[in-house]
Amino acid sequence: EEQLVESGGALVQPGGSLKLSCAASGFAFSANPMTWVRQAPGKGFEWVAVTNSGGGTTYYGDAVKGRFTISRDNAKNMLYLQLNKLTTEDTATYYCANCWMQYCYSGSSKQGTWGQGTQVTVSS
């Protein structure tokens, strides 16, 4: 069974940093691109970062470019997202998924395998 488990979400002050982790199992992690997707309260899905299977190619959504960094450790079947310079606009549930960018969802429907999500709340 394909499974993704996110962790690392927390309450953090504006300007702070956080690192999210995603543990993968049940599929060939090193052969799959991986995406971080977030959903803010009352809003739709938004992909924020994607990496190809080897980790050498990454892309970021405009809202997080220059502040977030995606990385992966294929030896450990782990995906990460470093979040810096957080703002209240980053408050959301963050998911990892084994898919590519906006193709991870269609409207409110998830495509591919997703984790259960981890909550990031940015507030003073």
Side-chain angles (χ1 to χ4, degrees), residues 78-99:
M78 293 293 296
L79 179 73
Y80 305 100
L81 186 68
Q82 177 69 42
L83 295 70
N84 296 329
K85 301 179 181 178
L86 285 161
T87 75
T88 57
E89 297 297 309
D90 296 316
T91 294
T93 301
Y94 285 73
Y95 302 90
C96 61
N98 63 352
C99 45

Side-chain angles (χ1 to χ4, degrees), residues 70-120:
I70 188 172
S71 62
R72 65 191 298 163
D73 185 338
N74 284 344
K76 296 181 178 179
N77 285 1
M78 293 293 296
L79 179 73
Y80 305 100
L81 186 68
Q82 177 69 42
L83 295 70
N84 296 329
K85 301 179 181 178
L86 285 161
T87 75
T88 57
E89 297 297 309
D90 296 316
T91 294
T93 301
Y94 285 73
Y95 302 90
C96 61
N98 63 352
C99 45
W100 184 261
M101 283 189 184
Q102 70 269 29
Y103 300 106
C104 294
Y105 47 89
S106 176
S108 60
S109 297
K110 299 174 180 176
Q111 310 293 318
T113 298
W114 290 47
Q116 83 290 348
T118 188
Q119 180 66 38
V120 173

